[in-house]
Structure formats: C-alpha cells, structure tokens
Amino acid sequence: MSDTGLSRFLGGSPAQVVLRLVFLSFVVGIILAALNLDPLDLVHMAVDFVERLWNMGFHALGRLGNYLVIGSIVVLPIWLIMRLLAMGRQR
C-alpha cells in the first residue's frame, strides 16, 4: 500500500523518478554551464531582488502591478487565441 501511495505522490515509481531527475539535472547543468551561470549566483540574484523590493517598500508593489498589467497585455490575448483554436479542434 505504501508503495502505491509513494508512487502516486512521486508521479511514478521511485526508480523512474530518480532517473528522470538525474537526467533533468544533467541537462539543466549543461545549459547553466553554457550560459555561464552558477546556481549560487541565481540564489544571490533572487535574494537581492527580494531585498530591493523590501527596501523600495510600497513603491515596489506599484511596480509589480505595472509588470502584471504589461505582462497580461501579451499573455491574455495569446491564451485566448490558443483556447479558441483548441475549441475549434475539438469540434
């Protein structure tokens, strides 16, 4: 019973999940190395981003709102077109 629960939680057998994660880790490692990125640099960038947001205070919330609006101007029409095309294929 615990094996099926564990498999359901992991999304497959533990061995398959471990192999998939090892493969994906290898591929992501190659990509990061090709881009000359260090995972610790990514962590530092994320921490610096949060610190800048904290230091900017409520002004940062307004900027985040602006980013949301700007992004939605691009994302929502693309999503709507994809949904309409998917509906057309189902009929």
Side-chain angles (χ1 to χ4, degrees):
M1 280 290 171
S2 66
D3 185 40
T4 60
L6 180 63
S7 295
R8 198 170 342 137
F9 173 74
L10 293 176
S13 73
Q16 288 176 333
V17 172
V18 167
L19 286 175
R20 230 180 301 150
L21 290 174
V22 167
F23 176 74
L24 286 173
S25 297
F26 182 71
V27 170
V28 169
I30 289 173
I31 293 170
L32 289 175
L35 296 174
N36 200 22
L37 289 174
D38 184 14
L40 288 178
D41 290 340
L42 296 175
V43 171
H44 291 300
M45 286 172 27
V47 169
D48 290 342
F49 176 72
V50 171
E51 285 178 355
R52 277 187 274 133
L53 286 179
W54 182 265
N55 291 333
M56 289 179 2
F58 289 106
H59 181 62
L61 294 176
R63 291 181 86 184
L64 287 176
N66 287 341
Y67 294 152
L68 177 67
V69 170
I70 292 169
S72 66
I73 289 171
V74 173
V75 170
L76 291 177
I78 293 172
W79 173 79
L80 183 61
I81 291 169
M82 290 177 63
R83 294 302 303 159
L84 290 173
L85 290 174
M87 283 178 50
R89 279 187 244 142
Q90 291 176 355
R91 291 184 180 178

